[in-house]
Amino acid sequence: MIIGEIRRYLRDNSTLRVSRSLKDIAYKALKLKELAGNELLSNEQIAAALETSVAEVDMALESVIEPFSLYDSVYSESGESVILLDQIQDTNSTEDIWVEKIALVEAIKSLNEKERSIVDMRYYQGKTQIEVAEEIGISQAQVSRIEKNAIEHMKKQILI
């Protein structure tokens, strides 16, 4: 009874709320891993032993891991520490991408008003050449020609 109360307390008072059934699967899986000792058990083997799905075992094992704070120290030397947030790379803001965006903006600025308008409608608003032609009042063939010339002009501007 005391062990049951301790388990209930630990289950109900963790950082994240996880269902009782998922935690039970996790504890059974961890118990199997402990009993296996040096033998490494795959989640497929654990799922087979517990007569459940591999996905459920994966979720269950992930549910009992305490979450990390982005401000947890991962390395410390001579009073200075590196936090987890410092180790996360932002692939959307690399220097190359910034340079490319600046070059693209400058290339678009070098276009005349009609070319800029067509490029904006085609690539930023997602309109078809026919929709652009109707909106501007020219033929689809003219839109195609102006767009092609604008892109060639932009390529030359970027490659300079």
Side-chain angles (χ1 to χ4, degrees):
M1 196 164 129
I2 293 172
I3 292 172
E5 287 299 317
I6 292 171
R7 285 185 180 156
R8 188 173 303 113
Y9 175 81
L10 292 173
R11 180 183 59 241
D12 295 342
N13 293 309
S14 64
T15 308
L16 296 175
R17 197 84 163 141
V18 179
S19 73
R20 176 181 235 157
S21 61
L22 205 55
K23 282 193 176 184
D24 286 343
I25 291 171
Y27 292 132
K28 289 176 185 175
L30 291 172
K31 189 74 169 177
L32 281 174
K33 283 186 173 191
E34 185 180 312
L35 291 173
N38 291 338
E39 183 185 330
L40 295 176
L41 290 179
S42 69
N43 286 1
E44 290 82 9
Q45 292 169 319
I46 293 170
L50 297 177
E51 298 176 355
T52 187
S53 70
V54 176
E56 214 165 35
V57 170
D58 290 339
M59 273 196 313
L61 289 173
E62 288 175 7
S63 73
V64 293
I65 297 172
E66 283 295 318
F68 292 100
S69 168
L70 291 176
Y71 298 98
D72 281 348
S73 178
V74 291
Y75 177 76
S76 184
E77 183 178 297
S78 67
E80 292 186 30
S81 62
V82 176
I83 60 173
L84 187 58
L85 186 63
D86 294 335
Q87 300 300 306
I88 298 173
Q89 181 180 7
D90 183 4
T91 58
N92 295 330
S93 298
T94 63
E95 186 177 314
D96 293 338
I97 292 173
W98 279 98
V99 171
E100 287 175 11
K101 285 181 179 180
I102 292 169
L104 183 60
V105 167
E106 292 301 314
I108 290 173
K109 284 181 184 177
S110 72
L111 300 175
N112 66 40
E113 187 60 37
K114 186 178 259 185
E115 290 172 330
R116 200 173 326 157
S117 176
I118 289 173
V119 167
D120 178 62
M121 285 187 266
R122 288 281 292 133
Y123 295 98
Y124 291 98
Q125 296 176 24
K127 295 183 179 182
T128 65
Q129 287 182 348
I130 294 172
E131 291 171 330
V132 172
E134 289 172 358
E135 191 168 322
I136 295 178
I138 59 176
S139 71
Q140 179 270 325
Q142 287 176 305
V143 170
S144 177
R145 182 181 51 77
I146 294 169
E147 179 184 341
K148 181 180 175 186
N149 290 339
I151 291 172
E152 286 303 315
H153 180 77
M154 288 171 53
K155 282 181 185 177
K156 288 177 187 172
Q157 289 294 314
I158 290 174
L159 295 176
I160 290 179

